[in-house]
Structure formats: structure tokens, C-alpha cells
Amino acid sequence: MSGRTYVSAKINGEQMDFLCEPRQSLLEVLRDELGMTGSKEGCNNGNCGACNVIMNGVLVNACCVLGVEAQGGTIVTIEGVASGEDLHPLQRTFLDDAALQCGICTPGFIVAAKALLDKEPDADEARIRHWLAGNLCRCTGYDKIVHAVLDAADVMRKTPAKV
Amino acid sequence: MQAIEYIAPASLAEAIKVLAHHGGAARALAGGTDVIIQAREGRRNVSVMVDVKHIAETTELSLSPDGSLRVGAATSCARIYDNAEVARLFPALIESVSLIGGIQIQSRASLGGNLCNSSPAADSIPTLIALAATCEIAGPGGKRSVAVEDFCTAPGQNVLQPGELLVALTFPAPKPHSGAAFERFIPRNEMDIAVVNAAASVTLAADGSTFESGRIAMGAVAPTPLFVKAAGDALAGRPVSAATIDAAAAAASAAAKPITDMRGSAPQRTHLAGVLTKRVINKAVERARGA
Amino acid sequence: MPRVMLPALLRPLAGGASSVETTGATLRDVIEDLERQHPALRGRIIDAGVIRPDVMVAVDADEVRDLDAPVPSAGEVHILPAIAGG
Amino acid sequence: MVIENKPKYKVIGTRPVRPDGIDKVTGRAQYGADIHMQGALQGRMKRSPHAHAIIKNIDVSKALALDGVKAVVTAQDLAGPGGDVSTLPDAAQNILASRKVLYRGQAVAAVAAINDHIAQEAVKLIEVEYEVLPHVLDVRESMRPDAPILNETMRTRGPNPGDGATNIVAHTVAAFGDIERGFAECDVIVENEFSTKMVHQGYIEPQAATASWAPDGQLSIWTTTQGSFPAREACAQLLNHPISKIKVTPTEIGGGFGGKISVYLEPVAALLSRKTGKPVAIRMDRIDVFEGTGPTPGTSIKVKLGATKDGKFRAAYADMAYENGAFAGSAAMYATMVITAGYEIEHVKLDGFDVVVNKPRTQDYRAPSAPAAAFAFEQLVDELAEKLKLDPLKLRLMNASKEGSRGPMGMPFKRVGHEECLEAALNSPHYNPPLEGPNRGRGVASGFWFNVGLRSSVNVSVQPDGTVNLNEGNTDIGGTRASLAMQLAETIGVAFEDIKPGVVDTDSVGVNDVTAGSRVTFASGMAVHEAGKNLIKELTTRLAPTWQVPVEEIEFEDGTFKTKDGAKSGTFKEIATQVVGRGVGLTVSGSVNAGFLAGGGFAHAIVDVEVDPETGKVTILRYTAIQDAGTAVHPAYVEGQMQGGAVQGIGWAINEEYYYDESGRMANSSFLDYRLPTSLDVPMIDTIIVEVPNPLHPFGVRGVGEPGIVPPLAAIANAVCHATGVRQTQLPMSPRRILETTLGIG
């Protein structure tokens, strides 16, 4: 019964149709079927956050979701965070604040932080640390990541998002 | 992962039919944060996943005017803690569901899933027990109710029969002058499985000086989450005092029959059972006095 | 008289000595003299005409790979195992 | 904090955005698992479930019969028909075991299938018959004569080789002065025994490799490695294949810290590709990473330190046993080279024992061997300070190594910044106000790591618009494309933005040693500096006929070419555009062997903790990292190295460990139970960069990657001791351990 199932979902604003096996995770579908390798696999069991995407408005680990569950849903991945040449403020502050070293966890952190700031634009350091506890980084010690999120929040408060 | 079939029934009746048809090979899929991983890692044999997130009864979250609460088994932790009224009335429940995994897990993981996974260390179960929650179960033979403390039978096992589905959890309205609290001890500050966890619900006399009743439950100290009746009994009718609370904590420690594993040693867990019991009772008293 | 300081691993090959007085004005001369005094050390420091890749040699505080490097008469030549890192 | 007047640099010391940054924040960057080749097969490793067993038979027939499976390989394929893996026998066994498995997780076979799910099913169908042997996990137990022997042919390297088989790989002795006389002269002597557990580097990206073996024998490998050239060399030896026929392309790498130097998957993917005629990709999962790669050793260290009553260290002794895992290594030898490096001590004797145990073959992890050694030694320093009623930083300062001090290897240090780091710590805003509150304690500790030089080679070519491409062969993990481009920009006097750096494959640049030992910004920086000078020289030569002046008449200074009389001048970019523009292309290179010793680096930590007396949980309240960076090329990236090292050290100190069950299985092989610190577990990490220029480098650069992880283990232990009154001799200082030692629970 491992036939492939037809799934239709809106990914980064575009309607996409794909076939996947029910046992394939959303992460496998994004990376292997759709060629969107920005979401990373660090643990494949929901403990590192490298595969974070926003699904139907909430932050999820794509490794803990079946691809077939995306049917009819909307998904935002790291590939959809910038709009064209305009980086998202988080992407800008991660660069300016040196908040990445090897960069493997960066897509997950940016997607997770975006989900936070979309919901809570005034998040403080304690809230940011709490929200990001599901995202592991082994290079930075988190200091510059937390600063980058605080700085992005500041930028976003000063310049309301373009429609 | 072994090959699986995925079915997303739109009604409770259909879900029961599908589950009954596939028997033990089928498993309900709510948040999937346990079952998908267990199937992938070969820790559970699952060949059919029945997605129960498209069913009205399993996804509801409704607070009655009298203050009783009904939580569909597939309702996510985030939906529960994002509901301000639920958060006000059931702070212990919020403490539990805010601790299950990270934010990414809480947006999918459900109360029903946490219960059906039946881990001895599950972070919601002691709270469900302390709050005297009831399981609503539907199956081919009809519906039945089971008290949460009677639900788990062994690590990873529970009273659900093949074809049965946990539909919802119901909570009685908090009584006047009552309060509840949950606490977990983990080595990090998030993202860990409990070394020990504990929940307490207490009802005080109107003047706040004595305990009328108490319900204490703990996790990770026995093969299943533990309802420690003796600890609650040690409170009932006694003055709210350090001595009373110490006696309840001692009863909790005595009830603990933990093992030593990578998450903690047996003596450490027995000790923490007392420490956490004391802490949650104190917090529950504080809330009861404020209620 | 340059003094060659030997690591523990090589001392058994020099009769247990932790250091050896040598003669020579260049590293090559010094090591050749060392090998003359303790033939068991042949091939353990220099192999095929160059310093072995798993050995490092320092003259006083300076690491040296060139065998023609000068060695002061009061100098110390340190023979050390190679290191890397994470 | 700048200690000495350093030259006024234009680019060095600024904080530009890394050239690879945009790709990394948008998801474009291609890491090991992101290489998707048309028609590629997916590989999986079959691993041993036993810690120690003889392989009696491997039956792959059922796996091969599974639909979608294309090939299976075992150690027989590695040796190949007429093959020879004798040059790297341990590496060969570690990649695919043939005779014996020496740890749980050791690979014994591999499959290639049309997708990963089928490959996983096929792995289960491979039947391996084992004869299970008794195993040994503890380093001291493994040294006993009655311990199960891992390798019957092993004899101890060192002064007393012994006759029989042993698990002691080597006994390293370092001795200076007269240890007995030294201790006899001491007024105060402290001693203790310490132990640490095996820990993992914990990089977030699992190893992944893709290989494509063409019919003409050309082998292309894409891999997430810290060293494409060493990986190429290892593959050549293990596959008995000419090095000239192997091209290794390093992908972006998701962390390494020493754990991605050895090859694991590359030769196996190559064998599977050769067998199937298709590209084969193998990706580890997290369990593979924990069980099947190279963590860093657990240790058992006995130390003794003596001083006169005025606080002068006179004598030190250490007996250090380091796990090597299943195969011979040299971790304890490293430890003898670093444990006393921070101090002037006349009488020293150090015994280092490298020991095999039935655990994964250990690898380097950020300043390998030094953190555990410092955990032991720096606690004794703390104890001495208490006994002598001296400030622990001032006691260290009184004894600190400096230029001319003999290090533990016997040779004198060149200019180093240990004293300057200690002074910076003493004057820091963190150290001066005393710590208030119950159950709190403050700890300090020093750390040293060598930094190494080794070989680097870069190519530099001028583009028609006068900008410059810089091609280097070192994997960039922490921002070295930026730090190298900055050094080239400084050398040739252009803007950072006019340099375009890239990491290229092994066919495209001269040999480069690993990205390790904190060496890339240092040694590749030297290569870049040389290439820059060569570029100026070549441009000058080409400019002379254009300007119609002799070459000697042209000077280059401050980014400008000019004639000595000042009549003609032009910036680098103007001249490069003019000379190269539409003319003949211009490529130069720079190649160095920067040797082993790159100057060495000192780091220091000040940490405040609070210990919950009821639960034993340690909370890090405040942390300041102090480090001598020589010259901080990119200060933000230097801070990042210091902060990252500090937090890895915090994890190591408090929670991380390989937790083994009785069967020799790592019970916590997931990110759930192997507890890396999360953002919620640490405070902001304050940094103080000390700049004592390194005399071995044209810009004074020191390696900065490693020293930061050395002090935190000891600093936290000292802080916990001051908070609780109990000295912590074992890692991790988990809540369980703290309860055991403070309340006797356990």
C-alpha cells in the first residue's frame, strides 16, 4: 500500500502539486521531491529545529509532519522568507550581527524567529530564548542569534512590513 | 520507515470504522510528534495512520458556562495555551502543555496524543490526573469513559482496544478556593523528558487555612504516571502548613518506585518526587488562595 | 655545543638520555652527529633527506623545517611529536 | 583590548558581512546532504549491535533480493581484488569491519538502493553472524592486565613495551627537572583524581557524501569534510586508487569541530558507485553520527601540584589516561603537551596513557585533550589559591607562562598573551563586583591550545574590472572566506568587497591541510599574504613598460602604485584594470608550510553559577570569555568563536556525556537525551578580545577557534565548588551528580 498520493498545497505563495508516499515526511518531500533543500535535517526526530517551516500559520518541524498532511495547506519555508531581492529583516540582522557560522541551523532559526515576531513583535530576550529553545546551534553559543532577533524586531517595529 | 497507508476520515463514525477494520496495525495520527518518529525509528509497528485532525469531536476546545472544559483529543497544545479563558481557569494544564517539546512540537502535539503515547514521563498526564480529567473513548461497541488515572497500563500501553479512539478529555469546573500546579524537573530548561514531574490540585476551606481535599500525581517514578492517593489524603482536613505539605511530599516519595536510567537515578527520582510535590502543592495553595 | 632535547618516545633509542650534546653549526650537522652517537635514531627524525612529517623540530623557540638552518653553539634543538587540532 | 600598538589596518579589524552569508540566510547554500545528482542511489550502512564481537559470517543475499536494491558492499570490496588497505589498516576496519567489531555502531556492510526507505529495509535484511566477546568501556579498567583485549597484536609504545597484548596504545612521558626534589621544596601540595566522559562535537549537520565513479576510473566525491585533501588521500589509500583520479569537492559544512576530518562514508559511496555505475549518496542519521563517528575521549586524570607558601608553583605531576576508542590514537600524548603549558613550573613529570576501549574511534574536538586536562589542573590551582588565601587570578598571574618560559614540551614560548588575558580578567567589569546571593559561586580558569600552521595554498586571479578572485582549498566553517579575503584586501590595498573568495575542489588549487587546529585564518592567511605580494610584484612588472619606467622605479604603498618621483600613480584597482583589463589574464598563487607551531593561544573564563540545593541543577548566571587573538581580523567572528567554545564547554561541563548501558550501547544517542545547551540554558557570553600580535604571522594573527573551550569546564567546577563547598571531580556536573556529591543522594 505504498502507492504515491497526490497532494496539493500552497508553498511560499505558489500552488504546488506533487506525488509522495505516505511514509515520506514533509521534510523529505520538500528536499527530495521539490528540490527545496533550504530546510535541513539535523536529527529527524523533532529535537533540533533545523527543518522548521511554518505550516498553516504555525511553526512546525517538517520532519514530524507527513507530506500527505500538507494537502490543502499553506507552507512557508526559508526559500519563501525573502521577497525577491529584499531580504527579510531577520536575514539582514543575522548577517550584520554575525549570527551564523557554519549556517546549517540558520534557516530553521530564521523561520522560527519569523514565526515569533509575526505573532509577538515585542518579544524580549527571555521570550526569544524560550521560543528558540527548540532550535539547536552548536557554533555561536546563541548570543549573536538572540541579538539578531532583537535587532530585527526593532527594525520591524520601525518599518511596518510592505504589503 | 516501513510503507504506510494514510487515511483522513472526516467523521468520528468513519474513523472508528477505519480503525476497527485495520485493528492493531492502525494508529491514530494527531500531532504525530511521537507516532511518526516511533514508526520511523521502528519503535512502533504501524502500517496505517488514521489522521484524526479532520473530525469535529476530536478537534474541539470548549469551555462550558459552568467552567467545565472539553478538549478534543487532537487539539494541539498551542491552541490550548493560546486560549486566554482556558489559561485563566486551568493554569496547571497550561504549565503542562507549554512544556511538551519546543514551540514547534507544541503547535502539533495534542493532549490526546500525549496520553495515548502513555509514556511514564508524559508531561500532561499528572496534571490530567490531578485535575480529575476523564477520557471519552469511542469504539465499535459504542462510547465509554475512563478516569485518566486508570488509562495507562504499562510504558507505551493503555486501555484502548483495537478499533477504539480517544475522542476527548473532559475536566470538571475548578471548585471555589481550589488551585492546581504542575512542575517538571529536567537537566536543561526545555526540550527534555522529565526526570520527575508532579501535579497537585488542592481545594481549601473558604478561609484558606485548611485543605479540604487534594489530588497529587507524578510521572517518571513508576511504569505509568502515578496517582498518589496517599499524598492527597495526607492533605485532606489538615491545616495548610509546612508540616502538612512535608507529610504529603513524604507520601509521594514513598509511593515512587523509580528506575535508574540515562535520565536519572532511582534515588535522585525518589528525592525529586518529594521536592516537586512540595513545590506544586505550595504553588497550588497560592493559586487557591488567589482564586 | 648544541644540545638536542629528545621526547620520551625516542629516549630508549638514545640509551635513555633525555638530551644529547652534539657538535654542528646547522641542523643537518647536529642531527647527523646525534645519529652517529645513537645510531638507533637513524630514520626516526630525518627520513629520505627531510624531516619526517610526524616530527617537529625547533631550534630554541623557532620551529625549523630547513635542515640547513643554523644552530647557535649554545642552542637547544627540540625534537617533538607533530600535533594537529580540532 | 589592544596590548601593543598595532599597525593601522584598513580592512583588518573591521566587521564586513561574510561573502557566503546571503546563501546561508536564504537556504541556497549547498551542504553535504543537498547534493542531488540525477539518478543517484541512496546508501545506508549496516552497523554492529555489539560492542565487541567476532564477525563469523555476513549474508547479504536477502538484502540483494529486495526490489530496488542495487548493490551491497562489505570489507571484502574495500580490499578489492588484489587490493591492499595495509597502509591504513585501522581506518579500513573503522569504515567496514572484516574480522571483528570493536564498538557498537561500527559499520560492517553498506547497501545502495533506489531510495532511502528501501535502503533502510535492505540493511535490516543483511544477516551478520557474531560471536559476542566481553567488552570494556572504562579507561582504567581497560588498562588492567585482565581486561578483554581489543587487538591481540597491540604492544605499548613507550619506555616499557611489555611482552603481552595490551589495550595501552602508548605511554608518553614528559619530564623536566627533578620531580621529587620539586615536591620536597613545596610548602603546600594539592592532589586529586578527576574523570570526564566521552562527549561528541555535536555538529548539527550529519556526515553526508556523494560519489560518482566514471567508467574511466575518475572518481568524483562531494563531501562535508574539514579537509578535502586529506579525504582524497585517505580515499586513494583505502580504495587503492590513484590520487590523480580522485577529485574531492568540499560542500558547505554544517559544523565539524574536529569531527569531520576522518572519512567514513566517502570510500563506501565510491565502492557502491563503482559497483552500480551510478552516483551514490550516503547520509548519516543522528544515531549514525553518535554511534559511528568520532567523539572525543573520556579521561581519568590524577594530578598533584605543589607551591611554596608565597604561591610560586614548584612541581607538578599528572597521570593521565585517555580513551582512544576502538583504535590507537594520541590523545594522552597531546594532554602531556598542554596540561602545564600555562605556567612556569621547574619540576614536572607527566605520564600519558593512550588506551583503547570498546567505544567509537575518538577524534579531535576543539583543542583536543586540553579541556579535560584543564578541568583537572585548574581545579588544583583553585584549591591552592584557597589554601594560600590568594586571589585565584593573581596566583595564576604570578606563575603564568610568558615569552621565554619553557612550555611542557621543553622549548621556550615566543610572545604569548597569557599574562595579558589574566590582567584583562582582573580588570574586567565582571570580576570586580563581588557575586551576591545564596547558593552562588564564581569560578575562573585558564586554558591553552597550540594552534597549528601546516600547509596552505591559494590561487588569486585578477578580473577585467580590477577585482580579485581568491580561490582557497580549505573548507570554510566559521567565516574564513571573510577572514582570508580581508587579509588579501589588506595586502593589496583594496576594499573587502573587491575580493571574491571561494572554496574550490582538490583539482583546482595546491595542497591544503585540514580546516582544524585553528589554522586557516593563520596559515591560509599567510598564503594569501604571499599571493598578494606576488600579485603586486607581477603587476609592477607588467606596469613598468606601460609607464615606461624601470620596474625599480615603481613603488607600491597603501594600495597605490606610484613612481618614485610621484609623477605617475594609480590605485590597485585602476592599475589592475589597466594592465589586465582586456589584456593577458593574471593568476598568481601563494603556498606555505607554516609548520606545526603557530604561536599558541591562551583563553580565560570567569563564570558565575547558582546551584539549586534541592535539585542539584546548575544555572549559568554570567560568563565572560577572555582570549588572546593576536590580531583580531574580524572581531565579530572572533567573538563568535569565543562564545561558541564557551557554550560547548558549558554543555560538556553540565550535561553532555555518552551514557552507556551494560551491553555497551550508548543509551542517549539522540538530541533529546544527548543534551546540547539550548538558547534557554545559557546567558549572553561577554567577550574580551586581547590582542598580543603573533610574531609568526605577517599580521600578527593567532588561531582563535580552539582555546575558548579549554577553561569553561574547570571554571564552572570552581564556581560550583564555591557555591556548594563541594569540589567536583567528575563530569558531567549533572543535577544527578551534584545531588550525589552535595546531599549524598545516589
Side-chain angles (χ1 to χ4, degrees):
Chain A
M1 296 304 289
S2 61
R4 286 160 74 87
T5 302
Y6 171 84
V7 179
S8 179
K10 197 173 223 177
I11 302 179
N12 297 331
E14 279 188 46
Q15 200 61 43
M16 289 194 184
D17 305 319
F18 54 87
L19 289 172
C20 72
E21 285 187 60
R23 66 177 163 184
Q24 283 181 291
S25 68
L26 176 60
L27 180 61
E28 285 175 76
V29 168
L30 289 171
R31 292 179 51 84
D32 300 342
E33 305 296 327
L34 302 175
M36 298 167 72
T37 57
S39 306
K40 305 301 182 188
E41 179 187 313
C43 69
N44 214 20
N45 57 13
N47 287 293
C48 78
C51 65
N52 279 183
V53 300
I54 298 172
M55 180 175 176
N56 303 331
V58 296
L59 183 68
V60 301
N61 293 309
C63 74
C64 298
V65 176
L66 297 179
V68 289
E69 291 184 84
Q71 170 59 35
T74 60
I75 289 161
V76 177
T77 72
I78 185 65
E79 287 91 347
V81 171
S83 44
E85 286 192 355
D86 291 336
L87 292 182
H88 187 278
L90 278 160
Q91 293 172 312
R92 193 71 255 163
T93 56
F94 265 64
L95 293 176
D96 291 341
D97 292 350
L100 59 113
Q101 289 180 30
C102 83
I104 195 83
C105 69
T106 308
F109 268 98
I110 288 177
V111 170
K114 179 184 183 317
L116 170 63
L117 297 184
D118 286 349
K119 193 177 167 197
E120 300 172 28
D122 296 319
D124 62 3
E125 182 193 338
R127 179 59 173 153
I128 290 167
R129 286 190 181 275
H130 177 255
W131 184 275
L132 295 178
N135 295 81
L136 294 176
C137 170
R138 192 59 157 173
C139 295
T140 64
Y142 303 105
D143 182 299
K144 294 187 188 307
I145 291 176
V146 175
H147 278 298
V149 179
L150 285 165
D151 288 346
D154 205 34
V155 171
M156 288 165 76
R157 281 191 297 267
K158 286 177 186 153
T159 50
K162 283 180 263 179
V163 179
Chain B
M1 193 190 291
Q2 67 181 101
I4 56 163
E5 190 179 350
Y6 169 84
I7 304 168
S11 72
L12 188 54
E14 197 188 333
I16 302 296
K17 212 167 107 185
V18 170
L19 284 165
H21 176 73
H22 291 283
R27 191 97 190 149
L29 170 69
T33 53
D34 282 318
V35 72
I36 291 173
I37 305 308
Q38 289 163 355
R40 177 179 300 145
E41 295 176 356
R43 290 187 280 131
R44 263 197 211 272
N45 183 17
V46 183
S47 56
V48 181
M49 289 213 192
V50 182
D51 190 338
V52 295
K53 294 191 293 297
H54 303 277
I55 299 167
E57 293 90 332
T58 57
T59 52
E60 72 169 305
L61 176 67
S62 58
L63 203 53
S64 299
D66 69 352
S68 65
L69 174 67
R70 184 185 163 83
V71 182
T75 305
S76 73
C77 294
R79 263 188 70 206
I80 298 169
Y81 62 61
D82 279 345
N83 184 309
E85 198 54 13
V86 173
R88 190 178 66 79
L89 287 169
F90 296 92
L93 179 62
I94 301 308
E95 281 163 344
S96 275
V97 296
S98 313
L99 285 181
I100 297 174
I103 301 293
Q104 305 86 336
I105 297 290
Q106 292 153 16
S107 56
R108 291 261 296 170
S110 64
L111 214 46
N114 196 238
L115 183 54
C116 291
N117 188 51
S118 300
S119 158
D123 283 320
S124 74
I125 303 179
T127 299
L128 298 178
I129 294 172
L131 295 177
T134 305
C135 311
E136 271 189 30
I137 297 166
K143 293 196 172 179
R144 62 181 176 126
S145 293
V146 174
V148 172
E149 58 263 37
D150 299 327
F151 186 80
C152 299
T153 53
Q157 314 224 344
N158 54 52
V159 300
L160 285 184
Q161 297 300 307
E164 281 191 323
L165 176 68
L166 176 68
V167 180
L169 290 147
T170 57
F171 299 77
K175 290 185 201 139
H177 313 297
S178 74
F182 169 82
E183 209 170 292
R184 161 179 86 169
F185 182 76
I186 54 172
R188 290 187 290 191
N189 291 314
E190 269 293 346
M191 302 301 291
D192 280 341
I193 303 289
V195 178
V196 174
N197 56 21
S201 166
V202 301
T203 304
L204 306 183
D207 67 357
S209 65
T210 50
F211 289 104
E212 285 191 347
S213 64
R215 285 174 68 86
I216 313 288
M218 296 185 300
V221 293
T224 62
L226 211 58
F227 173 44
V228 192
K229 192 169 176 305
D233 290 348
L235 298 177
R238 301 259 157 77
V240 177
S241 68
T244 305
I245 294 169
D246 283 349
S253 269
K257 297 283 176 286
I259 56 164
T260 293
D261 67 8
M262 64 199 169
R263 292 173 187 145
S265 73
Q268 177 195 13
R269 286 180 157 130
T270 303
H271 167 77
L272 287 172
V275 171
L276 292 193
T277 300
K278 206 174 347 177
R279 289 184 181 182
V280 290
I281 294 173
N282 277 318
K283 210 187 308 179
V285 166
E286 205 176 293
R287 284 178 177 154
R289 285 177 170 161
Chain C
M1 297 279 274
R3 175 175 288 276
V4 179
M5 319 293 279
L6 292 170
L9 209 57
L10 295 183
R11 289 177 198 167
L13 305 180
S18 60
S19 69
V20 178
E21 295 265 330
T22 59
T23 56
T26 67
L27 187 57
R28 189 189 312 278
D29 297 342
V30 165
I31 293 176
E32 279 174 4
D33 184 50
L34 174 72
E35 290 174 345
R36 254 193 305 277
Q37 296 184 48
H38 299 289
L41 285 169
R42 285 216 169 93
R44 301 301 296 264
I45 301 165
I46 297 179
D47 193 26
V50 294
I51 295 169
R52 282 170 56 127
D54 58 350
V55 169
M56 83 184 140
V57 178
V59 177
D60 296 324
D62 292 300
E63 188 182 344
V64 173
R65 299 210 72 77
D66 177 5
L67 288 170
D68 295 322
V71 178
S73 63
E76 282 182 356
V77 175
H78 298 270
I79 311 293
L80 301 159
I83 47 168
Chain D
M1 173 179 297
V2 180
I3 300 299
E4 287 169 13
N5 288 336
K6 66 173 175 182
K8 291 239 178 300
Y9 295 123
K10 289 205 167 84
V11 181
I12 286 173
T14 63
R15 302 180 177 222
V17 168
R18 53 198 300 151
D20 47 308
I22 294 278
D23 282 353
K24 288 180 174 171
V25 298
T26 55
R28 284 180 179 82
Q30 298 273 299
Y31 293 81
D34 300 338
I35 305 299
H36 281 76
M37 297 188 71
Q38 203 67 34
L41 302 172
Q42 296 297 317
R44 277 270 174 178
M45 311 299 293
K46 170 85 175 177
R47 296 180 182 278
S48 166
H50 304 295
H52 195 189
I54 294 166
I55 300 170
K56 308 283 277 187
N57 186 43
I58 302 178
D59 182 353
V60 303
S61 55
K62 284 183 187 153
L64 274 173
L66 182 69
D67 217 20
V69 173
K70 299 298 180 186
V72 179
V73 293
T74 63
Q76 269 61 48
D77 299 275
L78 193 60
D84 174 18
V85 291
S86 59
T87 53
L88 290 175
D90 288 353
Q93 285 296 315
N94 199 35
I95 285 160
L96 283 171
S98 64
R99 304 179 298 271
K100 243 178 135 184
V101 286
L102 296 171
Y103 60 96
R104 184 190 152 101
Q106 190 172 355
V108 293
V111 302
I114 56 170
N115 69 42
D116 186 45
H117 294 278
I118 294 173
Q120 286 184 62
E121 285 173 46
V123 160
K124 287 185 203 145
L125 296 173
I126 296 173
E127 292 171 346
V128 186
E129 194 189 325
Y130 293 101
E131 180 189 329
V132 178
L133 302 171
H135 61 267
V136 59
L137 301 172
D138 179 81
V139 66
R140 292 284 178 192
E141 272 176 37
S142 191
M143 292 169 72
R144 293 160 54 114
D146 58 346
I149 294 294
L150 275 72
N151 178 350
E152 290 294 339
T153 67
M154 184 172 287
R155 302 291 181 273
T156 303
R157 279 188 281 119
N160 308 302
D163 303 327
T166 174
N167 291 330
I168 304 172
V169 175
H171 174 197
T172 305
V173 185
F176 303 97
D178 178 341
I179 190 73
E180 281 170 24
R181 204 186 89 211
F183 278 115
E185 287 169 8
C186 293
D187 301 309
V188 192
I189 294 171
V190 287
E191 59 187 311
N192 216 331
E193 291 185 35
F194 300 86
S195 71
T196 68
K197 294 281 175 59
M198 176 173 271
V199 298
H200 200 271
Q201 298 84 359
Y203 38 81
I204 306 298
E205 179 206 30
Q207 270 88 344
T210 301
S212 179
W213 195 302
D216 63 355
Q218 277 298 330
L219 170 60
S220 300
I221 296 172
W222 294 261
T223 180
T224 174
T225 179
Q226 286 179 245
S228 50
F229 288 87
R232 180 180 67 170
E233 197 170 325
C235 288
Q237 290 187 47
L238 290 163
L239 298 167
N240 198 20
H241 199 60
I243 206 162
S244 57
K245 290 207 159 196
I246 305 175
K247 179 176 82 174
V248 176
T249 305
T251 65
E252 291 294 340
I253 177 172
F257 314 108
K260 287 181 181 163
I261 297 173
S262 274
V263 295
Y264 299 97
L265 305 176
E266 297 87 342
V268 180
L271 289 173
L272 288 166
S273 177
R274 184 169 63 182
K275 245 185 174 170
T276 60
K278 293 186 170 183
V280 175
I282 314 182
R283 305 168 193 167
M284 287 197 189
D285 62 24
R286 185 52 56 182
I287 296 175
D288 291 335
V289 173
F290 276 120
E291 292 192 341
T293 65
T296 215
T299 68
S300 163
I301 299 177
K302 301 174 191 172
V303 209
K304 187 172 165 185
L305 173 64
T308 54
K309 58 179 177 293
D310 58 353
K312 188 69 198 151
F313 297 171
R314 294 295 297 158
Y317 172 74
D319 167 335
M320 301 179 278
Y322 275 64
E323 296 167 354
N324 289 177
F327 299 98
S330 49
M333 186 193 77
Y334 281 3
T336 64
M337 296 159 86
V338 295
I339 185 166
T340 56
Y343 306 102
E344 289 186 332
I345 311 176
E346 196 174 330
H347 307 287
V348 175
K349 181 161 187 280
L350 306 169
D351 288 304
F353 297 96
D354 279 296
V355 182
V356 289
V357 292
N358 292 113
K359 296 183 185 178
R361 180 180 206 181
T362 60
Q363 299 292 343
D364 292 344
Y365 174 23
R366 205 169 201 154
S369 304
F375 172 66
F377 197 83
E378 290 290 307
Q379 288 203 69
L380 290 194
V381 174
D382 199 61
E383 230 177 297
L384 263 188
E386 265 180 51
K387 286 214 154 89
L388 295 168
K389 301 196 174 12
L390 289 168
D391 177 280
L393 287 176
K394 287 179 183 156
L395 177 65
R396 285 174 172 83
L397 189 55
M398 193 189 300
N399 291 285
S401 293
K402 49 181 150 311
E403 186 172 2
S405 306
R406 273 180 198 276
M409 295 187 292
M411 58 180 288
F413 276 109
K414 295 185 92 73
R415 186 83 171 85
V416 286
H418 192 197
E419 291 179 310
E420 291 78 358
C421 284
L422 288 162
E423 275 159 8
L426 271 164
N427 296 323
S428 67
H430 184 166
Y431 196 66
N432 286 308
L435 179 64
E436 311 275 351
N439 306 312
R440 292 182 169 189
R442 173 171 293 164
V444 298
S446 285
F448 168 77
W449 181 250
F450 301 98
N451 308 156
V452 298
L454 307 180
R455 296 169 300 170
S456 281
S457 189
V458 300
N459 293 337
V460 167
S461 43
V462 176
Q463 300 306 304
D465 61 359
T467 61
V468 174
N469 281 15
L470 164 60
N471 285 340
E472 52 141 332
N474 272 115
T475 311
D476 174 2
I477 314 183
T480 50
R481 269 167 290 206
S483 68
L484 296 181
M486 290 171 78
Q487 292 181 68
L488 182 58
E490 193 71 54
T491 309
I492 64 175
V494 302
F496 172 74
E497 292 72 24
D498 286 335
I499 310 282
K500 190 167 145 198
V503 179
V504 295
D505 62 58
T506 52
D507 282 0
S508 306
V509 68
V511 71
N512 282 270
D513 283 312
V514 289
T515 297
S518 305
R519 65 165 224 91
V520 176
T521 298
F522 172 81
S524 296
M526 290 167 76
V528 157
H529 181 253
E530 182 175 302
K533 286 191 302 183
N534 290 341
L535 189 55
I536 299 300
K537 197 170 154 202
E538 184 60 28
L539 274 176
T540 306
T541 308
R542 293 196 193 183
L543 182 58
T546 313
W547 278 0
Q548 296 180 316
V549 296
V551 171
E552 308 78 53
E553 282 304 303
I554 301 175
E555 291 177 331
F556 179 78
E557 207 186 311
D558 235 1
T560 304
F561 292 88
K562 56 176 185 278
T563 52
K564 280 184 179 163
D565 60 7
K568 292 182 172 162
S569 74
T571 64
F572 178 93
K573 204 168 174 182
E574 287 164 357
I575 299 303
T577 311
Q578 210 176 50
V579 170
V580 178
R582 295 185 182 170
V584 178
L586 173 52
T587 300
V588 299
S589 66
S591 299
V592 300
N593 182 347
F596 291 102
L597 295 177
F602 282 94
H604 204 90
I606 309 170
V607 61
D608 297 346
V609 305
E610 183 170 315
V611 182
D612 183 328
E614 285 188 319
T615 65
K617 188 163 171 168
V618 175
T619 299
I620 307 292
L621 301 172
R622 186 173 180 185
Y623 192 108
T624 300
I626 300 124
Q627 189 172 326
D628 174 16
T631 298
V633 176
H634 190 303
Y637 295 169
V638 173
E639 290 161 10
Q641 292 296 319
M642 294 164 69
Q643 292 165 335
V647 171
Q648 283 185 321
I650 289 170
W652 193 343
I654 296 181
N655 274 315
E656 293 180 36
E657 64 175 308
Y658 268 51
Y659 187 98
Y660 279 90
D661 69 14
E662 302 218 320
S663 74
R665 183 182 73 97
M666 181 194 186
N668 59 334
S669 58
S670 76
F671 274 156
L672 179 61
D673 287 309
Y674 185 92
R675 302 183 187 93
L676 306 190
T678 74
S679 55
L680 204 52
D681 300 321
V682 290
M684 292 293 185
I685 306 295
D686 296 330
T687 55
I688 299 174
I689 300 175
V690 174
E691 296 190 272
V692 177
N694 181 356
L696 293 170
H697 189 278
F699 296 120
V701 169
R702 287 184 202 279
V704 295
E706 292 170 288
I709 200 174
V710 184
L713 283 53
I716 294 167
N718 288 335
V720 168
C721 178
H722 298 147
T724 62
V726 179
R727 194 141 287 286
Q728 295 298 321
T729 58
Q730 293 180 28
L731 290 185
M733 292 174 276
S734 61
R736 174 177 173 178
R737 176 81 198 147
I738 299 284
L739 280 185
E740 282 169 8
T741 53
T742 58
L743 297 182
I745 290 165

